[in-house]
């Protein structure tokens, strides 16, 4: 036995240099945990969706995940990216699933591959390719033969691709888990008895693929054995799996929430997220996953919804640009370390729960050799002092204290030692290369998109057609065009040639042109995608054209029968006279249809067309205009975004790559609060910011898409804007802050270096975010009762005289520094009060 173990270790060392995973691992589970090579594991996982960043960003994201204490990276698999045309697969560039998994494995982390293939994910059509919709007799996500055949074919294809590359743990790879279906339990009641047989079929189909690692179904209470049913939600501590033989696993813990065009920006305080995580492990959980750990960007036309914004930042621990979000990332790292210090106890025994008072709970994991405990205060208002094992502990409201030795508190979820970073975007105009372009002084050239039918593949039909059936989502745009002759004395005309045009559309947005001129626009919202417009219009005697440009903004991704929710102008379309209530219904007339824009057919997004115009009179604020210019990349390596403040709606491309739909003219509705109280149950609408402002003005441009000079940007603007106002915003970290109280436990690293936990004092630590920086100045330091937040700290009534000079001495010129938060180190400015040290510093 010993000899075998020894041999295994040697082989690992030899191959470990090249690839951390080269030996087959045996992944199973029991009622407490996933079991890897015979050992129960406590695992922390985080979602990163590979197509929401670039391959150039992946290694950095994975490293920051590892540094943040993750063991597993979880991703969905996006069917519509991989099989855009039936039987034609694409695994290139951002779609390179295999490369992504290998990079995660090379970093020594595990992977959870959630194949779905329905993924929801705020992704176009929930990840289904739109061609699926056109298979005769198909019904999605139920016991339907055509659907099951396609689902099985794609699932088997992905499993096969992973097997070929030996990516399953059973083959020596990093993949320890797979998911089939996704949150089907939420909607299955709508599918009657067929749902039950579909779930059975999906489970059997998945297990028959012999991956050698367990499968899960999330939010699926009746998941058949051996599939593990897992929990998704803001909290999962009260969840129990459907069998005594399955572990308690949390596959989606929403670290924040997604943004919609027209919605305010949701955020989730880290104190609450940390509380939810600690409660889950306290109550017997052994695997939890942050949804998202890095949200990223919905490039191109990948957003679902409808109305999901281009940014998928999610208020995640790693922000959209790939930088750590503080203090979220840092505090969760501490939480993960604290939980790992309890791993031995957590996996060796069952939890013993006892009450310490109302809403006060102790959970102890004690075996003959180890003891770890969690003390929770689930009161939403009041702090408490509890007695546990004869010692007294202060528990702030809505917090959990973690005691890896059943005695010393190494972490309380509400007490943050981590730094906060204050960052800002600084704008600079686009450095337009006037010489490189044939354009005049502005540097911009343009092409007008014709109003109405301009392509030779248009077609005429009686009546109004649903949009997705018509376009197959080849484009966001569908023209509905109708000509009508009037004499001028028709009874529905109110004042000479005036009347009201009434248009009803299933959504998602609509521009109405009368005789070539924009007469009105309308849009739905994420609550109700429908558009209903009443526009006063003026007709001319003779021929009049009504051109309706209907557009989709991401296809529905959630709900029972979501594939049947249509879009576009399904009517009625009527001319109405308010005066004499005469209406003329145009719905069943002879409509001419054009799928997509002329500029799309011409490939204008790449910038390479001979038709670009560049006279001195650049048209501004003109609907349906394509714009192009050449520019130099902003200097430096800070993350950059294009700032579309003041623009209408459209899509933008950098060197031919779509950075997504932009829509800054859609402002955020909703109830925002000045600050967010983390105490009490979180929900998606609890903490919102940005109300009344554009939902999204900044659009991430990955650095790897830029060359130093000679970059092309192309925009298609639907409503009207001045392209010369486009600017770059680059993200800079302005300062580091930290605020640590005398009541905080010391940072975890100070504990774990000891073999035995000892009582130590709290410490304030600072570290510059980039390796070649040092702390250059201390903008603020106060020990006593300082208040405010990073950037607006101020001294309280109680304030030590020498805190600033002590902090300056300890920190300036160093990459990182630590200061003891104690009266011994900093003096005692006032007696009988709990004091804290607040510091704001900058790095250069
Ligand atoms: C894998 O582990 C399980 C449980 O620990 C054990 O029953 C099984 O025999 C192992 N399989 C192999 C191939 O080692
Ligand atoms: C239709 O237009 C496209 C370019 O817009 C052109 O390539 C094609 O030849 C045209 N087809 C016909 C039948 O005119
Ligand atoms: C019709 O004309 C009257 C008087 O000129 C005016 O008050 C009214 O607003 C007009 N109606 C419409 C629909 O424009
Ligand atoms: C699309 O067309 C199919 C077949 O004609 C029809 O059954 C379906 O209802 C249409 N979908 C929508 C959303 O209108
Ligand atoms: C039930 C529910 O709201 N599920 C959502 C959980 O969060 C993920 C990610 O935001 C969504 O895809 C689900 O729709």
């Amino acid at each position: 036995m010993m000899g075998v173990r020894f041999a295994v270790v040697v082989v690992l060392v030899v191959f470990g240099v090249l690839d951390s995973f080269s030996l087959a691992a045996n992944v199973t589970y029991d009622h407490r945990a996933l079991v890897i090579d015979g050992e129960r594991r406590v695992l922390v996982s985080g979602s990163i969706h590979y197509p929401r960043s670039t391959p150039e960003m992946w290694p950095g994201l994975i490293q920051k995940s590892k540094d943040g204490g993750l063991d597993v990276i979880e991703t969905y698999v996006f069917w519509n990216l991989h099989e855009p045309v039936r039987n034609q697969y694409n695994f290139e560039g951002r779609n390179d699933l295999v490369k992504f998994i290998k990079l995660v494995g090379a970093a020594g982390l595990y992977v959870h591959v959630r194949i779905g293939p329905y993924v929801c994910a705020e992704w176009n059509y929930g990840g289904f390719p739109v061609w699926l919709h056109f298979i005769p007799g198909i019904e999605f996500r139920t016991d339907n033969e055509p659907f099951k055949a396609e689902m099985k074919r794609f699932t088997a294809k992905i499993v096969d691709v992973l097997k070929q590359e030996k990516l399953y743990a059973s083959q020596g790879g990093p993949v320890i888990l797979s998911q089939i279906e996704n949150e089907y339990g939420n909607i299955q009641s709508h599918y009657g008895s067929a749902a039950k047989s579909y779930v059975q079929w999906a489970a059997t189909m998945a297990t028959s693929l012999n991956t050698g690692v367990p499968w899960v179904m999330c939010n699926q209470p009746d998941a058949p054995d051996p599939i593990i049913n897992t929990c998704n939600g803001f909290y999962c501590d009260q969840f129990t799996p459907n069998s005594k033989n399955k572990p308690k696993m949390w596959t989606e813990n929403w670290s924040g929430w997604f943004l919609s065009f027209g919605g305010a920006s949701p955020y989730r305080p880290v104190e609450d997220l940390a509380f939810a995580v600690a409660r889950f492990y306290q109550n017997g959980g052994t695997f939890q996953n942050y949804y998202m750990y890095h949200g990223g960007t919905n490039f191109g036309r990948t957003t679902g919804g409808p109305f999901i914004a281009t940014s998928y930042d999610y208020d995640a621990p790693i922000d959209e640009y790939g930088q750590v979000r503080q203090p979220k990332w840092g505090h969760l790292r501490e939480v993960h370390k604290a939980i790992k210090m309890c791993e031995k106890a957590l996996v060796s025994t069952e939890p013993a729960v006892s009450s310490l008072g109302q809403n006060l709970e102790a959970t102890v994991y004690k075996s003959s050799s180890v003891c770890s405990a969690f003390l929770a205060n689930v009161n939403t208002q009041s702090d408490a002092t509890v007695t546990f094992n004869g010692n007294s502990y202060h528990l702030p409201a809505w917090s959990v204290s973690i005691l890896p030795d059943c005695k010393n508190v190494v972490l309380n979820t509400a007490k943050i030692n981590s730094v906060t970073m204050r960052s800002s975007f600084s704008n600079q105009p686009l450095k337009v290369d006037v010489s490189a372009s044939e354009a005049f002084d502005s540097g911009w050239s343009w092409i007008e998109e014709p109003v109405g039918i301009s392509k030779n593949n248009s077609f005429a039909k009686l009546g109004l057609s649903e949009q997705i059936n018509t376009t197959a989502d080849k484009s966001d745009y569908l023209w509905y065009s109708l000509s009508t002759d009037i004499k001028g004395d028709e009874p529905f005309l109110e004042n000479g040639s005036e009347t009201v045009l009434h248009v009803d559309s299933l959504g998602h947005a609509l521009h109405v042109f009368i005789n070539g001129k924009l007469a009105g626009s309308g849009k739905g919202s994420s609550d109700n995608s429908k558009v209903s417009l009443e526009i006063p219009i003026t007709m001319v005697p003779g021929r009049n054209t009504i051109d309706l440009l209907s557009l989709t903004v991401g296809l529905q991704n959630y709900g029972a029968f979501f594939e049947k929710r249509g879009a576009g102008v399904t009517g009625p379309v009527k001319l109405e006279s308010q005066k004499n209530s005469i209406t003329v219904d145009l719905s069943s007339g002879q409509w001419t249809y054009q799928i997509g824009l002329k500029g799309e057919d011409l490939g204008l997004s790449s910038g390479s067309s001979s038709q670009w115009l560049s006279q001195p009179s650049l048209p501004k604020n003109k609907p349906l205009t394509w714009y192009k210019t050449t520019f130099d990349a902003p200097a430096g390596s800070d993350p950059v975004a294009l700032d579309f403040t003041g623009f209408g709606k459209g899509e933008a491309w950098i060197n031919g790559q779509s950075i997504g739909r932009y829509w800054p003219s859609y402002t955020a509705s909703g109830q925002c609060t000045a600050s967010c109280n983390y105490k009490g149950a979180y929900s998606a609408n609890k903490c919102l910011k940005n109300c009344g402002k554009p939902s999204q003005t900044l659009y991430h441009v990955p650095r790897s898409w830029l060359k130093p000079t000679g970059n092309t940007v192309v925009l298609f603007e639907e409503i009207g804007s001045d392209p010369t106002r486009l600017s770059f915003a680059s993200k800079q970290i302005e300062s580091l802050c930290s605020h640590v109280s005398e009541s905080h436990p010391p940072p975890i690293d100070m504990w774990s270096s000891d073999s035995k936990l000892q009582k130590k004092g709290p410490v304030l630590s600072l570290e510059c975010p980039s390796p070649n920086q040092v702390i250059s100045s201390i903008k603020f330091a106060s020990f006593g009762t300082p208040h405010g937040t990073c950037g607006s700290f101020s001294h309280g009534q109680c304030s030590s005289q020498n805190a600033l000079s002590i902090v300056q001495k300890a920190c300036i010129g160093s990459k990182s520094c630590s200061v003891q938060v104690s009266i011994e180190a900093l003096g005692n400015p006032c007696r009988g009060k709990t004091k804290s040290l607040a510091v704001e510093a900058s790095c250069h």
Side-chain angles (χ1 to χ4, degrees):
M1 204 51 207
M2 279 300 279
V4 173
R5 272 247 150 195
F6 183 66
V8 168
V9 171
V10 170
V11 173
L12 263 180
V13 170
V14 172
F15 289 100
V17 185
L18 297 170
D19 189 343
S20 322
F21 297 90
S22 40
L23 285 183
N26 180 8
V27 185
T28 57
Y29 62 82
D30 67 11
H31 74 290
R32 284 292 292 128
L34 286 182
V35 177
I36 302 180
D37 283 336
E39 284 193 38
R40 287 183 185 155
R41 294 298 309 275
V42 170
L43 297 171
V44 182
S45 171
S47 292
I48 299 178
H49 296 155
Y50 51 97
R52 284 176 157 146
S53 53
T54 59
E56 290 78 6
M57 289 170 73
W58 294 343
L61 298 175
I62 293 165
Q63 189 59 43
K64 288 180 179 109
S65 305
K66 185 177 183 178
D67 294 344
L70 298 195
D71 307 292
V72 183
I73 288 181
E74 185 240 65
T75 183
Y76 280 129
V77 175
F78 298 89
W79 189 354
N80 59 356
L81 292 186
H82 295 306
E83 200 179 353
V85 176
R86 193 161 178 270
N87 281 317
Q88 288 180 26
Y89 293 98
N90 178 335
F91 291 95
E92 301 294 309
R94 290 203 314 280
N95 302 350
D96 196 342
L97 172 64
V98 165
K99 178 174 184 173
F100 181 76
I101 294 176
K102 285 185 172 173
L103 284 170
V104 177
L109 302 182
Y110 295 122
V111 181
H112 176 195
V113 183
R114 301 172 82 193
I115 300 179
Y118 166 71
V119 297
C120 191
E122 290 69 64
W123 194 261
N124 198 49
Y125 221 39
F128 285 147
V130 175
W131 53 256
L132 216 51
H133 175 70
F134 296 94
I135 291 179
I138 201 161
E139 271 213 56
F140 292 4
R141 303 179 76 198
T142 186
D143 199 348
N144 167 277
E145 293 307 324
F147 176 75
K148 290 190 299 181
E150 294 301 316
M151 173 165 165
K152 179 175 178 182
R153 192 176 53 74
F154 179 72
T155 307
K157 168 77 186 179
I158 294 299
V159 168
D160 198 46
V161 166
L162 301 195
K163 275 188 186 172
Q164 296 268 323
E165 300 281 345
K166 301 210 181 319
L167 293 177
Y168 285 101
S170 51
Q171 305 172 292
V175 179
I176 54 163
L177 211 56
S178 285
Q179 179 178 304
I180 193 73
E181 249 296 338
N182 186 49
E183 297 189 336
Y184 188 62
N186 295 356
I187 52 142
Q188 78 179 75
S189 61
H190 299 274
Y191 293 85
S193 60
K196 192 90 195 157
S197 46
Y198 168 61
V199 169
Q200 282 292 340
W201 168 83
T204 309
M205 185 271 285
T207 28
S208 75
L209 297 173
N210 291 319
T211 60
V213 301
W215 288 88
V216 304
M217 285 182 164
C218 60
N219 284 1
Q220 189 65 51
D222 61 351
D225 295 344
I227 309 247
I228 309 169
N229 63 310
T230 65
C231 176
N232 290 357
F234 288 114
Y235 307 90
C236 282
D237 50 298
Q238 301 304 320
F239 167 78
T240 5
N242 65 11
S243 147
K244 289 210 160 55
N245 304 320
K246 296 178 185 175
K248 174 166 168 173
M249 295 174 66
W250 188 1
T251 39
E252 284 191 20
N253 168 11
W254 306 322
S255 54
W257 201 246
F258 53 82
L259 177 70
S260 294
F261 286 126
S265 302
Y267 63 102
R268 184 176 186 187
V270 68
E271 293 93 333
D272 175 57
L273 186 53
F275 170 79
V277 171
R279 284 291 284 163
F280 179 72
Y281 289 98
Q282 169 170 19
N283 286 341
T286 50
F287 180 106
Q288 81 87 31
N289 175 72
Y290 295 99
Y291 191 103
M292 302 295 295
Y293 197 73
H294 167 258
T297 309
N298 293 312
F299 297 113
R301 299 170 55 240
T302 58
T303 71
F307 299 103
I308 301 296
T310 295
S311 170
Y312 199 65
D313 179 83
Y314 228 91
D315 195 30
I318 303 178
D319 73 12
E320 176 174 10
Y321 302 94
Q323 294 186 330
V324 296
R325 169 170 278 120
Q326 297 287 31
K328 206 170 223 183
W329 181 87
H331 188 49
L332 294 173
R333 176 179 58 172
E334 297 279 294
V335 172
H336 305 151
K337 286 181 186 167
I339 287 164
K340 283 306 169 79
M341 289 169 81
C342 306
E343 178 166 12
K344 265 214 178 92
L346 285 173
V347 297
S348 64
T349 173
E350 310 298 318
V353 183
S354 59
S355 172
L356 302 173
Q358 201 185 1
N359 290 324
L360 299 166
E361 195 175 272
T363 306
V364 178
Y365 292 84
K366 186 172 168 38
S367 72
S368 52
S369 58
V370 279
C371 182
S372 294
F374 294 76
L375 307 181
N377 180 355
V378 297
N379 282 296
T380 58
Q381 313 277 329
S382 44
D383 295 3
T385 300
V386 299
T387 305
F388 172 72
N389 279 351
N391 295 318
S392 170
Y393 296 90
H394 178 75
L395 288 177
W398 206 251
S399 80
V400 177
S401 282
I402 301 179
L403 295 67
D405 61 354
C406 282
K407 183 166 168 238
N408 287 290
V409 175
V410 300
L411 180 123
N412 176 276
T413 54
K415 295 180 177 176
I416 299 178
N417 281 330
S418 166
V419 294
T420 303
M421 278 178 196
R422 195 158 64 87
S423 55
S424 66
F425 280 93
S426 69
N427 278 61
Q428 55 188 100
L430 221 57
K431 263 183 81 188
V432 171
D433 184 351
V434 186
S435 65
S437 91
E438 55 290 351
F440 282 75
D441 44 345
S442 74
W444 286 86
S445 35
W446 76 93
I447 295 177
E448 287 175 15
E449 176 69 28
V451 171
I453 307 303
S454 60
K455 299 196 325 185
N456 58 14
N457 57 359
S458 63
F459 56 91
K461 236 178 118 181
L462 280 182
L464 294 163
S465 297
E466 191 276 329
Q467 183 157 348
I468 301 166
N469 267 345
T470 309
T471 64
D473 198 35
K474 295 270 184 296
S475 165
D476 279 0
Y477 301 96
L478 178 62
W479 282 105
Y480 295 74
S481 177
L482 182 85
S483 293
T484 177
D485 286 312
I486 64 159
K487 297 202 292 289
D489 57 359
E490 281 84 352
F492 63 87
L493 292 174
E494 274 194 15
N495 292 352
S497 55
E498 285 176 1
T499 183
V500 170
L501 177 71
H502 176 106
V503 185
D504 269 318
S505 159
L506 294 175
H508 309 149
L510 181 68
H511 303 298
V512 176
F513 295 82
I514 302 298
N515 296 326
K517 291 260 176 314
L518 184 61
S521 297
K523 56 187 185 279
S525 70
S526 51
D527 298 334
N528 178 7
S529 68
K530 289 186 180 166
V531 186
S532 196
L533 278 183
E534 302 257 342
I535 311 170
I537 61 170
T538 305
M539 314 269 261
V540 293
R543 170 136 302 200
N544 290 269
T545 53
I546 299 173
D547 292 301
L548 308 177
L549 180 58
S550 176
L551 40 126
T552 49
V553 190
L555 303 191
Q556 188 79 29
N557 61 267
Y558 184 70
F561 309 110
F562 73 84
E563 77 275 20
K564 296 188 177 163
R565 300 222 196 142
V569 183
T570 49
V573 176
K574 307 182 278 198
L575 293 171
E576 288 181 333
S577 157
Q578 243 95 43
K579 193 175 61 185
N580 51 20
S581 57
I582 296 177
T583 67
V584 178
D585 197 329
L586 306 172
S587 311
S588 52
Q590 167 94 352
W591 291 86
T592 306
Y593 292 84
Q594 175 181 306
I595 298 167
L597 306 172
K598 186 164 193 182
E600 290 177 303
D601 278 15
L602 294 172
L604 296 187
S605 58
S606 70
S608 62
S609 160
S610 57
Q611 303 188 16
W612 292 100
L613 300 173
S614 47
Q615 280 110 39
S617 55
L618 176 72
K620 292 179 182 170
N621 303 314
K622 209 169 171 330
L624 309 190
T625 311
W626 296 82
Y627 292 105
K628 174 183 103 149
T629 194
T630 306
F631 66 95
D632 296 346
S637 56
D638 291 327
V640 287
L642 278 176
D643 186 341
F644 279 88
T645 302
F647 283 67
K649 179 183 179 305
E651 188 173 346
W653 296 262
I654 299 283
N655 297 325
Q657 307 242 39
S658 173
I659 61 168
R661 298 185 185 95
Y662 68 83
W663 201 352
S665 61
Y666 207 161
T667 52
S669 58
Q671 291 286 316
C672 288
T673 45
S675 65
C676 177
N677 179 3
Y678 70 83
K679 296 169 193 169
Y682 183 77
S683 65
N685 290 324
K686 183 175 171 185
C687 306
L688 298 173
K689 55 187 176 193
N690 229 15
C691 292
K693 297 185 185 152
S695 293
Q696 190 184 347
T697 54
L698 300 181
Y699 294 77
H700 182 206
V701 178
R703 275 277 176 187
S704 63
W705 291 3
L706 293 172
K707 312 172 272 187
T709 58
N711 299 286
T712 305
V713 59
V714 172
L715 323 173
F716 175 63
E717 168 62 45
E718 291 166 19
I719 301 170
S721 68
D722 173 358
T724 63
R725 289 183 56 188
L726 192 64
S727 63
F728 263 111
S730 62
K731 192 173 180 217
Q732 278 129 8
I733 292 160
E734 296 201 324
S735 46
L736 293 180
C737 293
S738 187
H739 191 173
V740 171
S741 155
E742 282 182 310
S743 75
H744 282 197
I748 302 267
D749 286 339
M750 306 218 149
W751 292 100
S752 46
S753 56
D754 289 349
S755 56
K756 245 199 156 155
L757 296 180
Q758 287 165 15
K759 238 195 165 25
K760 290 193 170 180
V763 170
L764 181 146
S765 302
L766 296 172
E767 182 174 359
C768 292
S770 133
N772 43 17
Q773 291 181 325
V774 293
I775 296 166
S776 55
S777 73
I778 303 297
K779 298 183 186 169
F780 179 89
S782 176
F783 180 62
T785 54
H787 32 80
T789 54
C790 191
S792 64
F793 282 135
S794 57
H795 294 274
Q797 292 214 320
C798 161
S799 176
S800 154
Q801 294 299 309
N802 45 12
L804 180 63
S805 63
I806 293 171
V807 174
Q808 282 173 330
K809 196 156 161 251
C811 297
I812 288 182
S814 308
K815 184 178 155 26
S816 64
C817 62
S818 299
V819 179
Q820 288 280 339
V821 183
S822 65
I823 50 174
E824 290 77 24
L826 297 162
N828 192 355
C830 54
R831 290 182 194 283
K833 275 205 166 108
T834 305
K835 290 167 278 289
S836 62
L837 174 63
V839 176
E840 178 171 357
S842 53
C843 293
H844 270 293

